[in-house]
Amino acid sequence: MSYGVLSSKSVHVLVETVAATGATASDAALLRFQGAWGSTWVAGRLTTTTLHLTFMPTRATRGASMLTVDLREVSGVEVGGGRVSRAVGVRTPAHVLRIRCLGAPALAEQLAALAREAGARRR
């Protein structure tokens, strides 16, 4: 099985907290990211593999490093409204990672399929 890069694109991300605690490694990473950047849109590059979603900010200031979400821990993927630049919501037990980009519906389909496949491999 290959774990190479499936896609890479320029995006803006925002992390929202939807529950008090999350027991997964992805929720811990999202909480650290949110602590470093707050609730602002952060520009950077999103890379997907068969098992992970990785975001690298373009401005690596304030000690913030890349964010990695394990696709096996994703509980849902949704597409928000908008005309040109729409947002994809990637849900974990305690957070929603909002990804704003061009081609959001195609990205949402890809992430949903990868999350289903990764979840099936875990079982």
Side-chain angles (χ1 to χ4, degrees), residues 26-83:
S26 295
D27 279 323
L30 289 164
L31 189 60
R32 282 191 305 275
F33 187 86
Q34 189 178 35
W37 293 99
S39 55
T40 60
W41 288 99
V42 181
R45 178 149 298 274
L46 182 75
T47 306
T48 57
T49 66
T50 55
L51 293 177
H52 296 97
L53 180 66
T54 305
F55 174 75
M56 177 63 78
T58 55
R59 298 180 298 148
T61 58
R62 293 185 281 172
S65 61
M66 71 179 181
L67 167 68
T68 301
V69 175
D70 189 337
L71 288 170
R72 293 173 291 191
E73 298 170 352
V74 170
S75 60
V77 178
E78 63 218 24
V79 180
R83 289 181 179 245

Side-chain angles (χ1 to χ4, degrees), residues 102-121:
L102 296 175
L107 178 64
E109 287 178 24
Q110 179 191 31
L111 293 178
L114 289 171
R116 276 193 304 275
E117 291 171 15
R121 268 183 251 141

